[in-house]
Coordinates of all heavy atoms in Angstrom, one line a residue:
M4 N 16.9 8.6 -13.8 CA 16.2 9.3 -12.7 C 15.7 8.4 -11.6 O 15.1 7.4 -11.9 CB 15.0 9.9 -13.6 CG 14.3 11.0 -12.6 SD 13.0 11.9 -13.5 CE 11.7 10.9 -13.2
N5 N 15.9 9.0 -10.5 CA 15.4 8.2 -9.3 C 14.3 8.9 -8.6 O 14.5 9.7 -7.8 CB 16.6 8.0 -8.4 CG 16.3 7.0 -7.1 OD1 15.2 6.3 -7.2 ND2 17.0 7.2 -6.1
T6 N 13.1 8.5 -9.0 CA 11.9 9.0 -8.5 C 11.6 8.4 -7.1 O 11.6 7.2 -7.2 CB 10.8 8.8 -9.4 OG1 11.1 9.3 -10.8 CG2 9.4 9.5 -9.0
R7 N 11.2 9.2 -6.3 CA 10.8 8.8 -4.9 C 9.2 9.3 -4.8 O 9.0 10.4 -5.0 CB 11.6 9.2 -3.9 CG 13.0 8.7 -3.9 CD 13.9 9.5 -2.8 NE 13.4 9.1 -1.6 CZ 14.0 8.1 -0.8 NH1 14.9 7.4 -1.3 NH2 13.6 8.0 0.5
W8 N 8.4 8.3 -4.5 CA 7.0 8.7 -4.3 C 6.7 9.0 -2.9 O 7.3 8.4 -2.0 CB 6.1 7.6 -4.8 CG 6.4 7.1 -6.3 CD1 6.8 6.0 -6.7 CD2 6.2 8.0 -7.4 NE1 7.0 6.2 -8.0 CE2 6.6 7.3 -8.5 CE3 5.8 9.3 -7.6 CZ2 6.5 7.7 -9.8 CZ3 5.7 9.8 -8.9 CH2 6.1 9.1 -10.0
R9 N 5.8 10.0 -2.7 CA 5.4 10.4 -1.3 C 4.1 9.7 -1.0 O 3.2 9.7 -1.7 CB 5.2 11.9 -1.4 CG 4.9 12.6 0.0 CD 5.0 14.1 -0.2 NE 4.9 14.7 1.0 CZ 3.8 14.9 1.8 NH1 2.7 14.7 1.1 NH2 3.8 15.5 2.9
I10 N 4.0 9.1 0.2 CA 3.0 8.3 0.7 C 2.5 8.8 2.0 O 3.2 9.1 2.9 CB 3.4 6.7 0.8 CG1 3.8 6.3 -0.5 CG2 2.1 5.9 1.2 CD1 4.3 4.8 -0.6
Q11 N 1.2 9.2 2.0 CA 0.5 9.5 3.2 C -0.5 8.5 3.7 O -1.4 8.2 2.8 CB -0.2 10.9 2.9 CG -0.9 11.4 4.1 CD -0.1 12.0 5.3 OE1 0.8 12.7 5.0 NE2 -0.2 11.4 6.5
I12 N -0.4 8.0 4.9 CA -1.4 7.1 5.4 C -2.2 8.0 6.3 O -1.8 8.7 7.3 CB -0.7 6.0 6.3 CG1 0.2 5.2 5.4 CG2 -1.7 5.2 7.0 CD1 0.9 4.1 6.2
E13 N -3.6 7.8 6.0 CA -4.5 8.7 6.9 C -4.4 8.5 8.3 O -4.3 7.3 8.6 CB -5.9 8.5 6.3 CG -6.5 9.3 5.4 CD -8.0 9.1 5.2 OE1 -8.7 8.3 6.0 OE2 -8.6 9.9 4.4
G14 N -4.4 9.5 9.1 CA -4.4 9.4 10.5 C -2.9 9.4 11.1 O -2.7 9.3 12.2
Q15 N -2.0 9.4 10.1 CA -0.6 9.5 10.7 C 0.0 10.8 10.2 O -0.4 11.3 9.2 CB 0.2 8.3 10.1 CG -0.4 7.0 10.4 CD 0.5 5.8 10.3 OE1 1.7 6.0 10.0 NE2 0.0 4.7 10.3
P16 N 0.7 11.5 11.3 CA 1.2 12.8 11.1 C 2.1 13.0 9.9 O 2.0 14.1 9.3 CB 1.8 13.2 12.4 CG 2.0 11.9 13.0 CD 1.1 10.8 12.5
E17 N 2.9 12.0 9.7 CA 4.1 12.3 8.7 C 3.8 11.3 7.5 O 3.6 10.2 7.6 CB 5.4 11.9 9.3 CG 5.8 12.6 10.6 CD 6.3 14.0 10.3 OE1 6.8 14.2 9.1 OE2 6.0 14.9 11.1
A18 N 4.1 12.0 6.3 CA 4.2 11.3 5.0 C 5.5 10.6 5.0 O 6.4 11.0 5.7 CB 3.8 12.1 3.8
F19 N 5.7 9.6 4.1 CA 7.0 9.1 4.0 C 7.3 8.9 2.4 O 6.4 9.0 1.6 CB 7.1 7.8 4.7 CG 6.3 6.7 4.4 CD1 6.5 5.8 3.4 CD2 5.0 6.6 5.0 CE1 5.6 4.8 3.0 CE2 4.1 5.7 4.7 CZ 4.4 4.7 3.6
E20 N 8.6 8.6 2.1 CA 8.8 8.4 0.7 C 9.1 6.9 0.4 O 9.7 6.2 1.3 CB 10.1 9.2 0.4 CG 9.8 10.7 0.3 CD 10.9 11.6 -0.2 OE1 12.0 11.0 -0.1 OE2 10.5 12.6 -0.9
A21 N 8.9 6.5 -0.7 CA 9.2 5.1 -1.2 C 10.0 5.1 -2.5 O 9.6 5.9 -3.5 CB 7.9 4.4 -1.4
E22 N 11.0 4.3 -2.7 CA 11.6 4.1 -4.0 C 10.7 3.2 -4.8 O 10.1 2.4 -4.3 CB 12.9 3.2 -3.7 CG 14.0 3.9 -2.6 CD 14.8 5.0 -3.2 OE1 14.6 5.2 -4.5 OE2 15.5 5.6 -2.6
P23 N 10.9 3.4 -6.1 CA 10.0 2.7 -7.0 C 10.1 1.2 -6.8 O 9.1 0.4 -7.0 CB 10.5 3.0 -8.4 CG 11.1 4.3 -8.3 CD 11.8 4.3 -6.8
E24 N 11.3 0.6 -6.4 CA 11.4 -0.9 -6.3 C 11.1 -1.4 -4.9 O 10.9 -2.6 -4.7 CB 12.8 -1.2 -6.7 CG 13.9 -0.9 -5.6 CD 14.4 0.5 -5.7 OE1 13.8 1.2 -6.6 OE2 15.3 0.8 -5.0
Q25 N 10.8 -0.5 -3.9 CA 10.3 -0.9 -2.6 C 8.9 -1.2 -2.6 O 8.1 -0.6 -3.3 CB 10.6 0.3 -1.6 CG 11.9 0.4 -1.1 CD 12.0 1.6 0.0 OE1 11.4 2.6 -0.2 NE2 12.5 1.2 1.1
T26 N 8.5 -2.2 -1.8 CA 7.0 -2.3 -1.5 C 6.6 -1.2 -0.5 O 7.5 -0.6 0.1 CB 6.7 -3.7 -0.9 OG1 7.2 -3.7 0.5 CG2 7.1 -4.9 -1.7
I27 N 5.4 -0.9 -0.7 CA 4.8 0.2 0.1 C 4.9 -0.1 1.6 O 5.3 0.7 2.5 CB 3.3 0.5 -0.2 CG1 3.1 0.9 -1.8 CG2 2.6 1.4 0.7 CD1 1.8 0.8 -2.3
L28 N 4.7 -1.4 1.9 CA 4.9 -1.8 3.4 C 6.3 -1.6 3.9 O 6.6 -1.1 5.0 CB 4.5 -3.2 3.5 CG 4.7 -3.8 4.9 CD1 3.8 -3.1 5.9 CD2 4.4 -5.3 5.0
K29 N 7.3 -2.1 3.0 CA 8.6 -2.0 3.3 C 9.1 -0.4 3.6 O 9.7 -0.2 4.6 CB 9.6 -2.6 2.4 CG 11.0 -2.8 2.7 CD 11.8 -3.5 1.8 CE 13.2 -3.7 2.2 NZ 14.2 -4.3 1.3
A30 N 8.6 0.4 2.7 CA 8.9 1.8 2.8 C 8.3 2.3 4.1 O 8.9 3.3 4.8 CB 8.4 2.5 1.6
A31 N 7.1 1.9 4.3 CA 6.4 2.4 5.6 C 7.1 2.0 6.8 O 7.3 2.8 7.7 CB 5.0 1.9 5.5
L32 N 7.5 0.7 6.9 CA 8.2 0.3 8.1 C 9.6 0.9 8.3 O 10.0 1.3 9.4 CB 8.3 -1.2 8.1 CG 7.1 -2.0 8.2 CD1 7.1 -3.4 8.0 CD2 6.0 -1.7 9.3
Q33 N 10.3 1.1 7.2 CA 11.6 1.8 7.1 C 11.5 3.1 7.7 O 12.4 3.6 8.4 CB 12.2 1.7 5.7 CG 13.7 2.0 5.7 CD 14.1 1.7 4.3 OE1 14.1 0.6 3.8 NE2 14.5 2.7 3.6
A34 N 10.4 3.7 7.3 CA 10.1 5.2 7.8 C 9.6 5.3 9.1 O 9.4 6.5 9.7 CB 9.3 6.0 6.8
G35 N 9.3 4.2 9.8 CA 8.7 4.3 11.1 C 7.2 4.5 11.2 O 6.6 4.8 12.2
A36 N 6.6 4.3 10.0 CA 5.1 4.6 10.0 C 4.4 3.2 10.5 O 5.0 2.1 10.3 CB 4.7 4.7 8.5
S37 N 3.3 3.4 10.9 CA 2.5 2.3 11.6 C 1.6 1.6 10.4 O 0.7 2.3 9.8 CB 1.7 2.7 12.7 OG 0.9 1.7 13.2
L38 N 1.8 0.4 10.2 CA 0.9 -0.3 9.2 C 0.9 -1.8 9.6 O 1.9 -2.4 9.8 CB 1.5 -0.1 7.8 CG 0.6 -0.3 6.6 CD1 -0.5 0.4 6.6 CD2 1.4 -0.1 5.3
L39 N -0.2 -2.3 9.8 CA -0.3 -3.8 10.2 C 0.3 -4.7 9.0 O 0.1 -4.4 7.9 CB -1.8 -4.2 10.3 CG -2.6 -3.7 11.6 CD1 -4.0 -4.1 11.5 CD2 -1.8 -4.1 12.9
S40 N 0.9 -5.9 9.5 CA 1.4 -6.8 8.5 C 1.6 -8.1 9.2 O 1.7 -8.1 10.4 CB 2.7 -6.3 7.7 OG 3.7 -6.3 8.8
S41 N 1.7 -9.1 8.4 CA 2.0 -10.5 8.9 C 2.8 -11.3 7.9 O 4.1 -11.3 7.9 CB 0.7 -11.2 9.3 OG 1.0 -12.5 9.8
C42 N 2.1 -11.8 6.9 CA 2.8 -12.7 5.9 C 3.8 -12.0 5.0 O 4.7 -12.5 4.6 CB 1.8 -13.4 5.1 SG 0.9 -12.3 3.8
R43 N 3.4 -10.8 4.7 CA 4.3 -10.0 3.7 C 4.4 -10.7 2.3 O 5.4 -10.4 1.6 CB 5.6 -9.7 4.3 CG 5.5 -8.9 5.7 CD 6.7 -8.5 6.2 NE 6.4 -7.7 7.5 CZ 7.3 -7.1 8.2 NH1 8.6 -7.1 7.7 NH2 6.9 -6.6 9.4
N44 N 3.5 -11.5 2.0 CA 3.6 -12.1 0.7 C 2.2 -12.1 0.0 O 2.0 -12.8 -1.1 CB 4.1 -13.5 0.6 CG 3.2 -14.5 1.4 OD1 2.1 -14.2 1.6 ND2 3.8 -15.6 1.9
G45 N 1.2 -11.3 0.4 CA -0.1 -11.1 -0.3 C -1.0 -12.1 0.0 O -2.1 -12.1 -0.8
T46 N -0.9 -12.9 1.0 CA -1.9 -13.8 1.3 C -2.9 -13.6 2.5 O -4.0 -13.9 2.5 CB -1.4 -15.2 1.4 OG1 -0.3 -15.3 2.4 CG2 -0.8 -15.7 0.1
C47 N -2.3 -13.1 3.6 CA -2.9 -13.0 4.9 C -4.0 -11.8 5.0 O -4.9 -11.8 5.7 CB -2.0 -12.9 6.0 SG -1.3 -11.2 6.3
R48 N -3.7 -10.7 4.2 CA -4.6 -9.6 4.0 C -4.5 -8.7 5.3 O -5.3 -7.7 5.3 CB -6.0 -10.0 3.8 CG -6.2 -10.8 2.5 CD -7.5 -11.6 2.5 NE -8.8 -10.8 2.9 CZ -9.5 -10.2 2.0 NH1 -9.2 -10.3 0.7 NH2 -10.6 -9.5 2.4
A49 N -3.6 -9.0 6.2 CA -3.4 -8.1 7.4 C -3.1 -6.6 7.0 O -3.5 -5.7 7.8 CB -2.4 -8.6 8.3
C50 N -2.4 -6.5 5.9 CA -1.9 -5.0 5.6 C -2.9 -4.3 4.8 O -2.7 -3.2 4.5 CB -0.7 -5.1 4.9 SG -0.8 -5.9 3.2
R51 N -4.1 -4.9 4.5 CA -5.1 -4.3 3.6 C -5.4 -2.9 3.9 O -5.6 -2.4 5.0 CB -6.4 -5.1 3.6 CG -7.3 -4.9 2.5 CD -8.2 -6.1 2.5 NE -8.9 -6.5 3.7 CZ -10.1 -6.3 4.0 NH1 -11.0 -6.0 3.1 NH2 -10.6 -6.8 5.2
C52 N -5.2 -2.0 2.8 CA -5.6 -0.6 2.9 C -6.5 -0.2 1.7 O -6.5 -0.9 0.6 CB -4.3 0.3 2.7 SG -3.2 0.2 4.2
R53 N -7.0 0.9 1.9 CA -7.9 1.5 0.6 C -6.9 2.5 0.0 O -6.5 3.4 0.7 CB -9.2 2.0 1.1 CG -10.2 2.1 -0.1 CD -11.5 2.7 0.4 NE -12.3 1.9 1.1 CZ -13.4 1.2 0.5 NH1 -13.6 1.3 -0.7 NH2 -14.2 0.5 1.3
L54 N -6.9 2.4 -1.3 CA -6.1 3.4 -2.0 C -7.0 4.5 -2.3 O -7.9 4.4 -3.1 CB -5.6 2.7 -3.3 CG -4.7 3.6 -4.3 CD1 -3.6 4.1 -3.6 CD2 -4.4 2.9 -5.5
L55 N -6.8 5.7 -1.7 CA -7.7 6.9 -2.0 C -7.3 7.7 -3.1 O -8.2 8.1 -3.8 CB -7.5 7.9 -0.7 CG -8.0 7.2 0.7 CD1 -7.8 8.1 1.7 CD2 -9.5 6.7 0.6
T56 N -5.9 7.8 -3.4 CA -5.5 8.4 -4.5 C -4.2 7.9 -5.0 O -3.4 7.4 -4.1 CB -5.2 10.0 -4.4 OG1 -4.3 10.3 -3.3 CG2 -6.5 10.8 -4.0
G57 N -3.8 7.8 -6.2 CA -2.5 7.4 -6.8 C -2.7 6.1 -7.5 O -3.7 5.4 -7.6
E58 N -1.5 5.7 -8.0 CA -1.3 4.5 -8.8 C -0.3 3.5 -8.1 O 0.7 3.9 -7.6 CB -0.8 4.8 -10.2 CG -1.7 5.8 -11.0 CD -2.9 5.2 -11.5 OE1 -2.8 3.9 -11.8 OE2 -4.0 5.8 -11.7
I59 N -0.7 2.2 -8.2 CA 0.2 1.2 -7.7 C 0.5 0.1 -8.7 O -0.2 0.1 -9.8 CB -0.3 0.4 -6.4 CG1 -1.6 -0.2 -6.7 CG2 -0.4 1.6 -5.3 CD1 -1.7 -1.5 -6.0
Q60 N 1.5 -0.7 -8.6 CA 1.8 -1.9 -9.3 C 2.1 -3.1 -8.4 O 2.8 -2.9 -7.4 CB 3.0 -1.6 -10.2 CG 3.4 -2.8 -11.1 CD 4.6 -2.4 -11.9 OE1 4.5 -1.4 -12.7 NE2 5.7 -3.1 -11.9
Y61 N 1.4 -4.3 -8.7 CA 1.7 -5.5 -7.9 C 3.0 -6.2 -8.4 O 3.3 -6.4 -9.5 CB 0.6 -6.3 -7.9 CG -0.6 -5.8 -7.0 CD1 -1.8 -5.4 -7.6 CD2 -0.3 -5.8 -5.6 CE1 -2.8 -5.0 -6.7 CE2 -1.4 -5.5 -4.8 CZ -2.6 -5.0 -5.3 OH -3.6 -4.5 -4.5
L62 N 3.7 -6.8 -7.3 CA 4.8 -7.7 -7.7 C 4.3 -9.1 -8.0 O 5.1 -9.9 -8.5 CB 5.7 -7.8 -6.4 CG 6.4 -6.5 -5.9 CD1 7.0 -6.9 -4.5 CD2 7.4 -6.1 -6.9
I63 N 3.1 -9.5 -7.6 CA 2.6 -10.8 -7.8 C 1.3 -10.7 -8.7 O 0.7 -9.6 -8.7 CB 2.3 -11.6 -6.6 CG1 1.2 -10.8 -5.7 CG2 3.5 -11.8 -5.7 CD1 0.8 -11.6 -4.5
E64 N 1.0 -11.8 -9.5 CA -0.2 -11.6 -10.4 C -1.5 -11.7 -9.7 O -2.4 -10.9 -10.2 CB -0.1 -12.8 -11.3 CG -0.8 -12.5 -12.6 CD -0.4 -13.6 -13.7 OE1 0.7 -14.1 -13.6 OE2 -1.2 -13.8 -14.8
W65 N -1.6 -12.5 -8.6 CA -2.9 -12.6 -8.0 C -2.8 -12.3 -6.5 O -2.9 -13.2 -5.7 CB -3.6 -14.0 -8.2 CG -3.7 -14.3 -9.7 CD1 -2.9 -15.2 -10.3 CD2 -4.7 -13.9 -10.4 NE1 -3.5 -15.3 -11.6 CE2 -4.5 -14.4 -11.7 CE3 -5.7 -13.0 -10.3 CZ2 -5.3 -14.3 -12.8 CZ3 -6.6 -12.7 -11.4 CH2 -6.4 -13.4 -12.6
P66 N -2.6 -11.0 -6.1 CA -2.7 -10.6 -4.6 C -4.0 -11.1 -4.1 O -5.1 -11.2 -4.9 CB -2.6 -9.1 -4.6 CG -3.0 -8.7 -6.0 CD -2.7 -9.9 -7.0
G67 N -4.1 -11.3 -2.7 CA -5.3 -11.8 -2.2 C -6.4 -11.0 -1.9 O -7.0 -10.8 -0.9
L68 N -6.9 -10.5 -3.0 CA -8.2 -9.6 -3.0 C -9.1 -10.1 -4.1 O -8.7 -10.5 -5.1 CB -7.7 -8.2 -3.4 CG -6.9 -7.5 -2.3 CD1 -6.4 -6.2 -3.0 CD2 -7.6 -7.2 -1.1
S69 N -10.4 -9.9 -3.8 CA -11.5 -10.3 -4.8 C -11.5 -9.2 -5.9 O -11.1 -8.1 -5.6 CB -12.8 -10.5 -4.1 OG -13.3 -9.3 -3.7
A70 N -12.2 -9.4 -6.9 CA -12.4 -8.6 -8.0 C -13.1 -7.3 -7.4 O -12.9 -6.1 -7.7 CB -13.0 -9.1 -9.2
E71 N -14.1 -7.6 -6.5 CA -14.9 -6.5 -5.9 C -14.1 -5.7 -5.0 O -14.3 -4.4 -5.2 CB -16.1 -7.1 -5.1 CG -17.2 -7.8 -5.9 CD -16.8 -9.3 -6.4 OE1 -15.8 -9.8 -5.8 OE2 -17.4 -9.7 -7.3
E72 N -13.2 -6.3 -4.2 CA -12.4 -5.5 -3.3 C -11.4 -4.6 -4.2 O -11.2 -3.4 -3.8 CB -11.6 -6.5 -2.4 CG -12.4 -7.1 -1.4 CD -11.7 -8.1 -0.6 OE1 -10.9 -8.8 -1.1 OE2 -11.9 -8.3 0.6
K73 N -10.9 -5.1 -5.3 CA -10.1 -4.3 -6.1 C -10.8 -3.1 -6.6 O -10.3 -2.0 -6.7 CB -9.4 -5.2 -7.3 CG -8.3 -6.1 -6.8 CD -7.7 -6.8 -8.1 CE -6.8 -7.9 -7.6 NZ -6.3 -8.7 -8.8
A74 N -12.1 -3.4 -7.1 CA -12.8 -2.3 -7.6 C -13.2 -1.3 -6.6 O -13.4 -0.1 -7.0 CB -14.1 -2.9 -8.3
E75 N -13.2 -1.7 -5.4 CA -13.5 -0.8 -4.3 C -12.3 0.0 -3.8 O -12.3 0.8 -3.0 CB -14.0 -1.4 -3.0 CG -15.5 -2.0 -3.3 CD -15.9 -2.9 -2.2 OE1 -15.2 -3.1 -1.3 OE2 -17.0 -3.4 -2.3
G76 N -11.1 -0.3 -4.4 CA -9.9 0.3 -4.1 C -9.1 -0.2 -3.0 O -8.1 0.4 -2.6
W77 N -9.3 -1.5 -2.6 CA -8.5 -2.2 -1.6 C -7.2 -2.6 -2.3 O -7.2 -3.0 -3.5 CB -9.2 -3.4 -1.0 CG -10.3 -3.0 -0.2 CD1 -11.7 -3.1 -0.5 CD2 -10.3 -2.5 1.2 NE1 -12.5 -2.6 0.7 CE2 -11.6 -2.3 1.6 CE3 -9.2 -2.2 2.0 CZ2 -11.9 -1.8 2.8 CZ3 -9.5 -1.7 3.3 CH2 -10.9 -1.4 3.7
I78 N -6.1 -2.4 -1.5 CA -4.8 -2.9 -2.1 C -3.9 -3.7 -0.9 O -4.4 -3.5 0.3 CB -3.8 -1.8 -2.5 CG1 -3.5 -0.9 -1.3 CG2 -4.6 -1.0 -3.6 CD1 -2.3 0.1 -1.6
L79 N -3.0 -4.4 -1.2 CA -2.2 -5.1 -0.2 C -0.8 -4.5 -0.4 O 0.0 -4.8 -1.3 CB -2.1 -6.6 -0.6 CG -3.4 -7.3 -0.4 CD1 -3.3 -8.8 -0.8 CD2 -4.0 -7.2 1.0
P80 N -0.4 -3.5 0.6 CA 0.8 -2.8 0.5 C 2.1 -3.7 0.6 O 3.2 -3.3 0.1 CB 0.8 -1.9 1.6 CG -0.6 -1.7 2.0 CD -1.4 -3.1 1.6
C81 N 1.9 -4.9 1.1 CA 3.1 -5.7 1.2 C 3.6 -6.2 -0.1 O 4.8 -6.7 -0.2 CB 2.9 -6.9 2.2 SG 1.7 -8.1 1.5
V82 N 2.7 -6.2 -1.1 CA 3.1 -6.8 -2.5 C 2.9 -5.8 -3.6 O 2.8 -6.0 -4.7 CB 2.5 -8.2 -2.8 CG1 3.0 -9.2 -2.0 CG2 0.9 -7.9 -2.7
A83 N 2.8 -4.5 -3.2 CA 2.5 -3.4 -4.1 C 3.6 -2.3 -4.1 O 4.2 -2.0 -3.0 CB 1.2 -2.8 -3.8
Q84 N 3.9 -1.7 -5.2 CA 4.9 -0.6 -5.3 C 4.2 0.5 -5.8 O 3.3 0.5 -6.6 CB 6.0 -1.0 -6.3 CG 6.8 -2.2 -5.9 CD 7.6 -2.8 -7.0 OE1 7.2 -2.7 -8.3 NE2 8.9 -3.1 -6.7
A85 N 4.6 1.6 -5.2 CA 4.0 3.0 -5.7 C 4.5 3.3 -7.1 O 5.6 3.0 -7.5 CB 4.4 4.1 -4.7
R86 N 3.5 3.9 -7.9 CA 3.9 4.3 -9.1 C 3.4 5.9 -9.3 O 3.4 6.4 -10.5 CB 3.1 3.5 -10.3 CG 3.9 2.1 -10.4 CD 5.1 2.3 -10.9 NE 6.0 1.1 -10.9 CZ 6.8 0.7 -9.9 NH1 7.0 1.4 -8.9 NH2 7.4 -0.6 -10.0
S87 N 3.0 6.4 -8.2 CA 2.8 7.9 -8.0 C 2.7 8.1 -6.6 O 2.8 7.3 -5.8 CB 1.4 8.2 -8.7 OG 0.4 7.7 -8.0
D88 N 2.6 9.4 -6.3 CA 2.3 9.7 -4.8 C 0.9 9.1 -4.4 O 0.0 9.0 -5.3 CB 2.1 11.3 -4.6 CG 3.5 12.0 -4.9 OD1 4.5 11.3 -4.9 OD2 3.5 13.3 -4.9
L89 N 0.9 8.7 -3.2 CA -0.3 7.9 -2.8 C -0.9 8.4 -1.5 O -0.1 8.9 -0.7 CB 0.1 6.5 -2.5 CG 0.8 5.6 -3.5 CD1 1.1 4.2 -2.9 CD2 -0.1 5.5 -4.7
R90 N -2.2 8.3 -1.4 CA -2.8 8.4 -0.1 C -3.6 7.1 0.3 O -4.4 6.6 -0.5 CB -3.8 9.6 -0.1 CG -3.4 10.9 0.4 CD -4.3 12.1 0.7 NE -5.5 11.9 -0.1 CZ -6.7 11.7 0.4 NH1 -6.8 11.7 1.7 NH2 -7.8 11.7 -0.3
L91 N -3.4 6.7 1.4 CA -4.0 5.3 1.9 C -4.8 5.5 3.1 O -4.4 6.3 4.0 CB -2.8 4.3 2.2 CG -1.8 4.0 1.0 CD1 -0.7 3.2 1.5 CD2 -2.4 3.5 -0.2
R92 N -5.8 4.7 3.1 CA -6.6 4.5 4.5 C -6.5 3.2 5.0 O -6.8 2.2 4.4 CB -8.1 4.8 4.2 CG -9.0 4.8 5.4 CD -10.4 5.1 5.1 NE -10.5 6.5 4.8 CZ -11.3 7.0 3.9 NH1 -12.4 6.2 3.5 NH2 -11.3 8.3 3.8
P93 N -5.8 2.9 6.2 CA -5.7 1.6 6.8 C -7.0 1.0 7.1 O -8.0 1.5 7.3 CB -5.0 1.9 8.1 CG -4.4 3.3 8.0 CD -5.3 4.0 7.0
R94 N -7.0 -0.4 6.9 CA -8.2 -1.1 7.2 C -9.0 -0.9 8.4 O -10.2 -0.8 8.5 CB -7.7 -2.6 7.1 CG -8.8 -3.7 7.4 CD -8.2 -5.0 7.3 NE -7.1 -5.0 8.2 CZ -6.9 -6.1 9.1 NH1 -7.7 -7.1 9.1 NH2 -6.0 -6.1 9.9
G95 N -8.3 -0.7 9.4 CA -8.8 -0.3 10.8 C -9.8 0.7 10.8 O -10.7 0.8 11.6
D96 N -9.6 1.7 10.0 CA -10.5 2.9 10.0 C -11.7 2.6 9.2 O -12.6 3.4 9.1 CB -9.7 4.1 9.3 CG -8.5 4.5 10.2 OD1 -8.5 4.1 11.3 OD2 -7.7 5.3 9.6
E97 N -11.8 1.4 8.5 CA -12.9 1.2 7.5 C -13.9 0.3 8.3 O -15.1 0.2 7.9 CB -12.4 0.4 6.3 CG -11.6 1.2 5.4 CD -12.5 2.1 4.4 OE1 -13.6 1.9 4.3 OE2 -11.9 3.0 3.9
E98 N -13.4 -0.6 9.1 CA -14.2 -1.6 9.6 C -14.6 -1.5 11.1 O -13.9 -0.7 11.8 CB -13.5 -3.0 9.6 CG -13.2 -3.4 8.1 CD -12.4 -4.6 7.9 OE1 -11.5 -4.9 8.8 OE2 -12.4 -5.1 6.7
Ligands
FES109 S1 1.0 -8.7 5.2 FE1 -0.2 -10.4 4.6 S2 -1.2 -9.7 2.8 FE2 0.2 -8.1 3.3

């Protein structure tokens, strides 16, 4: 079964789909969605978003987020894969 997850970034008109093996950032850029990024390896935090709904899985063991940030729902889409449909709020809308 090839499940594709539907991802909605708040403030953007169109949702997009992600394959389970794609990072959320890669799927967003491929779909033409706007999402900040730089290192794409989980260290610079440029892509930081808040996960409003849904489940993700990380490709790396220690993404560049504190325990508090994780508890608050922050994620790094460049090193995360969707494991359900997602709703995300980009960092710029929080700060
Ligand atoms: S692009 Fe650097 S942490 Fe995601």
Side-chain angles (χ1 to χ4, degrees):
M4 190 173 88
N5 185 17
T6 304
R7 294 172 66 91
W8 303 115
R9 187 171 188 277
I10 301 175
Q11 177 72 56
I12 298 175
E13 261 192 1
Q15 298 195 15
E17 299 286 332
F19 58 92
E20 291 190 331
E22 304 277 354
E24 71 277 6
Q25 277 184 311
T26 64
I27 297 165
L28 176 65
K29 188 171 182 185
L32 298 178
Q33 194 171 298
S37 172
L38 200 54
L39 288 175
S40 67
S41 181
C42 71
R43 301 189 184 183
N44 65 19
T46 56
C47 77
R48 300 160 51 92
C50 64
R51 193 159 49 116
C52 288
R53 201 183 284 260
L54 179 63
L55 300 177
T56 60
E58 300 286 330
I59 61 143
Q60 175 177 307
Y61 281 111
L62 295 175
I63 60 175
E64 201 165 340
W65 298 107
L68 294 169
S69 68
E71 291 80 17
E72 288 171 324
K73 286 183 186 174
E75 291 170 2
W77 292 102
I78 66 164
L79 296 176
C81 68
V82 287
Q84 297 166 323
R86 288 296 173 262
S87 71
D88 292 346
L89 305 178
R90 265 192 337 115
L91 303 177
R92 178 176 295 153
R94 175 180 57 132
D96 295 348
E97 295 274 345
E98 296 170 340

